[in-house]
Each structure stands twice: as structure tokens, then as C-alpha cells.
Amino acid sequence: MAHAVTPSPATNSGPAPVEYEQALATYEPVLGLETHIELGTASKMFCSCPTAFGSEPNTQVCPVCLALPGSLPVVNEKAVEGAIRLGLALNCSVAPWGRFARKNYFYPDMPKNYQISQYDEPICVDGHLDVTVDTPEGPREFRVEIERVHMEEDTGKTSHMGGATGRIHGADYSIVDYNRAGIPLLEIVTKPITGTGELAPQVARAYAAELRDLVRALGISDVRMEEGSMRCDVNVSINPRGADEWGTRSETKNVNSLRSIERAVRSEIERQAGVLEAGQRVVQETRHFQENTGRSISGRSKEEAQDYRYFPDPDLVPVAPSEEWVEELRATIPELPAAQRARVRAEWDLTDTELRDLVNADAIGLVEATVAEGAPASEARKLWMNELSRRATEQEVELGDLPITPAQVARVIALVEEGTLTNKLARQVVEGVLAGEGEPDEVVEARGLKVVSDDGALGAAVDEAIAGNPDIADKVRGGKVAAAGALVGAVMKATRGQADAGRARELILERLGVG
Ligand code: ADP
Ligand code: MG
Ligand code: ZN
């Protein structure tokens, strides 16, 4: 039975791709993105089953999401709320009335044999999202028009067992987990995106990043692409420059990282140019992006449109959000990423490059939270963008996933400001917090990291440094004050970097009679 869903055999054959710049000299790309976002509601779209990730298979199911006879779905109000809030944030209009539709097809991980979705009556339509792309000439803005936002439910998850590859080919049997079946999804569909030229891959990526940040700001999903709570289908076509018709598009399914979106668009432009240059035609099909090769392979042909036999779901009442409710929800829309960027740019007095670095590192929220905990913006930005970014890169995690909180970062900064820590010691405290050694103050205590600035302990180290370097001491006595740096160095070394360097220098000069 499961063979019904097997894609046609993967092939990478076909004409050689045309190199990107050359393809762009001849052809104009058109893009379309379909993005699925898993909502972070406590319960499923049409039943009260919990949605927590990672539970034992088939423990979060009930007669409704298993589609047992006699069960009836009820719409999750929180999911509708999320859909409307996203629609409003995307400048859409909200439909005053709309029905759910049954999309009929057979899939082993879909217990009903149909998916409840929205077809010709989506909840939100006709919006836009502005995105910014960096070019050698500076930042460039593109407006991406949004066709629709609609609600639907997720399917279960099939695993193919016994084979070497985890794919259905060569597997002995398949098992299905219905925990995910019925989790609310929003699908956001763009209108065809034109006029991007060679920036098409970056525009696609910037759109997905902007949408992700916007959804995160709304707090309706954790939008983790690597965990599948946000997935993009990337439609690409190319047409000869100046042609008045668009080309045939392919649809690369479920691309699951920003980088892959960019690469998928680029490689698809190159591939389609190769097909056209060879005198062949682009086939309308789904494709699957391969991380390892950076190319996609052919999936299911869409030449003959599948007939989903959509019809309004008779078990569900229409969704008819009142104007008052929509306005209530509009009032809950927080500051959106674009506005936030403009604000922090002014507030923190950033250059284009500094702002871009913060955005790319996904650090604005972290710096803001650190500032809210009392740290000066410049110090907060420095710590997140230098030391912590370096460690995130080292550990191959996102900055926000480092095991340190903005409050802890703010405390480290405060310790430096009050003179308890030098910058160097601060780095060790950060290291300790990241290693799970506790709060910054606990790390300072446990590792004995306080700056040595009391004149007793410091004085002894200074005396030692002078005694151990008589030549240098003489030079300083003779007026070569610059030579004192070497003595400060010796003090720092003797105190394992814990000395207050400024105070050490003062003491040295005092002792040598040049203070
Ligand atoms: P389907 O239901 O087959 O997925 P849609 O109408 O939902 O088709 O369109 C899918 C996406 O492809 C949309 O984002 C749309 O804007 C985009 N699109 C439509 N035509 C083209 C084209 N010629 N080239 C690139 N993208 C296109
Ligand atoms: Mg579609
Ligand atoms: Zn259920």
C-alpha cells in the first residue's frame, strides 16, 4: 500500500547546468514560496490532544485525530487567533467568513484519507512583506506580495524500517506515529515574485528569514527550521529576458534551512537554464533538495494535476471572525522585526554593517533582553557579538541556544563595570557559565576570579616583579616610563591575569619613584 506514495526513481540526469552568471545573462527568474508553520498551540487543530514534541509514538491521539467513526472535529480558537494575527502582521485582509475544506488523497500517515485545509476560502488574503537584501551597492528592499494565509492540519510521521537508507526502497516495513497528525499548520503562499534578477536566491532567503522572525515576534510558533516547525516549498521558473510569459515552474519541497533555500533557488536556475539551452522543456514537477550535492533530484511529476476533490467540510462550522475580534487581535501585534531594526539602529547608533551583523547573528532580541537587565547597549552588543558569537560558532549552535541567559550576560557586564572583573576574567566567567558551573557570581567565587586590586596582595606581586626584573626597573627609574609595561606584564602573569592592571601600574611607578 505504501508504494502509492513512492516518488518516481531519483534521477540526477538531464542536461548539464549552465553556470549562474551566464544563466542570468539570458534568463529572468520568477519565484514563489509556500511556507508551512507549525503553530505552538497547547492542543491540536480539531481536538484536545496535546502537541508536545518527542512523546512516545501514538500516545497523543484520540478518536477525532484518528478519524474514528462518529467523532467530530471542533476548531481550536487559539489556532484561528494565530492565523489572523499572522495575516494582520503580513498586511493581509481577514476574510469575514470562510469554511474549511476536505482535501482528499490517500496517505498512510493521514488517518482520515483527507486533510482538513482551506481551499478557496482562506482566512487571510492579499498582504505583503518587505525584505532587505545586501548588495555591493548597499541594502536593497523588495516587496514580496502574499497571496494567502490558510489553516490546515499536519499529517503523522512514517518511518521506513529495516533498510540501509531509511527510505522506503529496501525497507522491510513501515511504522506510523500519529502524534503529529492534527497539529495546526499555517500555510503562507506568496504571489509570484518577479524583478529580482540575480538576487533571486538572496530574496528567497531573506523572505524566509523575515517571515521566521515575524512569526517568532508574534509568539505563535517556535519556527525551528531544523526541527521542521517551519518548512518551505520553493517554486522557481525562468523565462528568456524580456519574454511576456513566465516559464514552467518546478517546486522543491520541504527545504529546511535558510542556506538551503538560497542554494536551492540558485541551483534550480542553473539546472533549468541547462534544460532550455539543450532545447528541452522544463517539466512541472516536485523536486527534492540534496544537502550534500547542493542540487535537487526529480520527485513527482505535476503535469497532470492531482484531483483532490475539495469540498467544504460538513462537520465544521464556518470561521466568521467578527470585526471586533479582529481589531482586538490587531491590538496584540507587537513591534515587528522591521520596526525593531529601525528603532535599535537609531537607539544604539549602529552603522549598516553593525546592524546587519546583529541581524545575521539573530542577536537583536538577545542584546535587547540584556539591556533590559541593566547592561549598557554597547557592552551587551560587544559581548554577544564577539565572545559569545565565537563560542556559538565553535559549538555549532545558534547564539540564542547557548546555555547563558541575557540576565547572566548582564551580570557579567556589571561585574566588569564595578571593577570586580577585567575583560579577560569576564571571558572566563562566561566560559564557566556556559560549562554549567552556575551563575556568574558562583563562577567568580568557585574559580577565584576576582580582580586583585587590594594594595596588599597586589603590592606583593609588584615588589616581586621589580625584584625579578632589576634591569627594567632601572630603566623606569631612569625615566623610561614606557618600560613599566613589562613590569605590569609580569604582575599580570604572576596573578594569572587577575590583577587590576591600572592599579598595578600606579603602584609600580610609585615604588620606582616616578609616580
Ligand atoms: P500549487 O497549488 O500547485 O502549489 P499554487 O498556486 O499554490 O500552486 O502556487 C505555488 C507557488 O508558486 C505560489 O507561491 C505562486 O506564486 C508560485 N508560482 C506560480 N506560478 C509561478 C511561476 N511561473 N514561476 C514561479 N513561481 C510561480
Ligand atoms: Mg500550493
Ligand atoms: Zn486527538
Side-chain angles (χ1 to χ4, degrees):
M1 271 202 311
H3 286 285
V5 300
T6 310
S8 55
T11 48
N12 244 335
S13 55
V18 171
E19 196 264 328
Y20 189 70
E21 274 72 29
Q22 202 191 327
L24 262 296
T26 320
Y27 299 101
E28 182 71 35
V30 176
L31 300 174
L33 287 121
E34 299 166 89
T35 310
H36 281 101
I37 284 167
E38 212 174 70
L39 285 175
T41 51
S43 58
K44 291 187 180 179
M45 186 75 214
F46 301 110
C47 63
S48 55
C49 284
T51 56
F53 183 76
S55 307
E56 277 293 299
N58 298 312
T59 53
Q60 297 177 167
V61 293
C62 74
V64 174
C65 55
L66 288 178
L68 300 187
S71 64
L72 282 173
V74 177
V75 178
N76 181 337
E77 184 182 359
K78 280 282 169 204
V80 179
E81 201 176 289
I84 294 176
R85 292 178 72 234
L86 177 59
L88 292 173
L90 289 171
N91 309 289
C92 292
S93 32
V94 178
W97 193 87
R99 287 169 298 184
F100 284 95
R102 290 188 182 178
K103 181 179 184 180
N104 296 280
Y105 61 104
F106 176 72
Y107 214 87
D109 56 17
M110 206 178 52
K112 296 191 193 73
N113 281 348
Y114 61 83
Q115 179 188 30
I116 304 179
S117 182
Q118 290 192 293
Y119 181 48
D120 48 358
E121 298 168 8
I123 180 127
C124 300
V125 294
D126 292 334
H128 60 85
L129 180 63
D130 292 330
V131 306
T132 308
V133 169
D134 280 313
T135 75
E137 295 81 45
R140 239 186 95 183
E141 203 165 270
F142 289 89
R143 171 154 295 186
V144 176
E145 307 279 348
I146 306 292
E147 169 93 34
R148 56 193 276 151
V149 176
H150 73 247
M151 301 177 280
E152 57 188 35
E153 54 177 342
D154 211 344
T155 57
K157 187 172 181 296
T158 308
S159 307
H160 304 295
M161 312 302 286
T165 60
R167 293 181 151 265
I168 194 165
H169 293 284
D172 295 330
Y173 59 96
S174 301
I175 53 178
V176 189
D177 174 10
Y178 291 115
N179 283 352
R180 204 180 60 188
I183 289 191
L185 293 180
L186 295 183
E187 180 170 348
I188 303 101
V189 183
T190 70
K191 294 187 179 163
I193 306 166
T194 59
T196 60
E198 78 273 14
L199 294 174
Q202 285 111 294
V203 170
R205 179 192 181 130
Y207 165 79
E210 192 69 27
L211 182 61
R212 179 198 61 183
D213 293 349
L214 184 117
V215 168
R216 198 178 287 156
L218 291 169
I220 55 176
S221 165
D222 61 5
V223 272
R224 287 179 179 274
M225 293 193 79
E226 65 287 357
E227 285 174 14
S229 56
M230 168 167 165
R231 352 190 244 270
C232 274
D233 299 342
V234 182
N235 295 266
V236 178
S237 69
I238 59 173
N239 54 264
R241 282 186 176 273
D244 41 46
E245 253 181 65
W246 296 332
T248 304
R249 69 188 153 97
S250 69
E251 181 181 356
T252 306
K253 300 293 283 182
N254 290 331
V255 187
N256 65 357
S257 75
L258 296 179
R259 180 163 173 269
S260 297
I261 291 174
E262 186 170 344
R263 292 170 83 206
V265 171
R266 192 180 169 98
S267 75
E268 187 56 11
I269 290 171
E270 295 175 339
R271 186 191 70 85
Q272 291 185 10
V275 170
L276 297 180
E277 292 297 302
Q280 301 178 11
R281 66 185 186 95
V282 173
V283 177
Q284 191 177 344
E285 62 183 357
T286 62
R287 300 187 64 85
H288 302 278
F289 185 70
Q290 312 292 105
E291 297 286 343
N292 52 352
T293 60
R295 304 247 159 228
S296 62
I297 55 173
S298 174
R300 181 161 45 92
S301 168
K302 274 199 164 184
E303 299 272 282
E304 295 131 61
Q306 195 167 352
D307 183 2
Y308 291 119
R309 306 179 317 282
Y310 281 102
F311 63 89
D313 192 308
D315 287 345
L316 285 159
V317 293
V319 178
S322 69
E323 245 172 74
E324 298 80 69
W325 191 35
V326 172
E327 287 319 306
E328 246 169 63
L329 293 177
R330 195 189 301 278
T332 70
I333 306 290
E335 180 185 47
L336 296 177
Q340 183 190 44
R341 284 196 301 271
R343 178 176 53 77
V344 301
R345 189 184 196 289
E347 273 179 18
W348 302 344
D349 196 18
L350 305 175
T351 63
D352 279 344
T353 314
E354 288 167 341
L355 180 64
R356 190 198 52 212
D357 290 347
L358 278 170
V359 170
N360 289 346
D362 207 2
I364 291 181
L366 295 167
V367 174
E368 283 233 278
T370 309
V371 171
E373 295 285 346
S378 59
E379 298 307 315
R381 190 161 62 82
K382 240 188 268 164
L383 198 50
W384 281 108
M385 293 308 289
N386 300 333
E387 181 63 10
L388 290 166
S389 287
R390 187 176 63 72
R391 290 184 182 272
T393 309
E394 247 170 44
Q395 298 172 23
E396 297 183 6
V397 298
E398 299 291 330
L399 199 52
D401 289 339
L402 284 174
I404 189 167
T405 63
Q408 290 169 329
V409 173
R411 180 62 190 150
V412 172
I413 292 169
L415 288 169
V416 174
E417 301 230 302
E418 70 187 39
T420 306
L421 297 177
T422 59
N423 283 322
K424 193 169 161 204
L425 292 173
R427 284 198 288 277
Q428 293 185 49
V429 176
V430 165
E431 180 189 271
V433 173
L434 292 176
E437 293 168 24
E439 292 298 317
D441 290 280
E442 293 168 339
V443 177
V444 169
E445 200 57 42
R447 291 195 179 194
L449 292 177
K450 272 202 180 89
V451 167
V452 179
S453 61
D454 64 294
D455 289 358
L458 196 54
V462 165
D463 289 339
E464 239 171 77
I466 291 173
N469 300 279
D471 299 354
I472 300 174
D474 276 345
K475 273 191 202 160
V476 179
R477 275 191 202 96
K480 276 200 79 183
V481 177
L487 296 175
V488 175
V491 170
M492 295 310 286
K493 196 166 168 205
T495 57
R496 298 194 330 271
Q498 279 168 249
D500 176 337
R503 185 68 194 133
R505 188 183 164 81
E506 279 171 17
L507 287 176
I508 289 166
L509 296 180
E510 228 172 80
R511 297 275 209 277
L512 298 177
V514 287

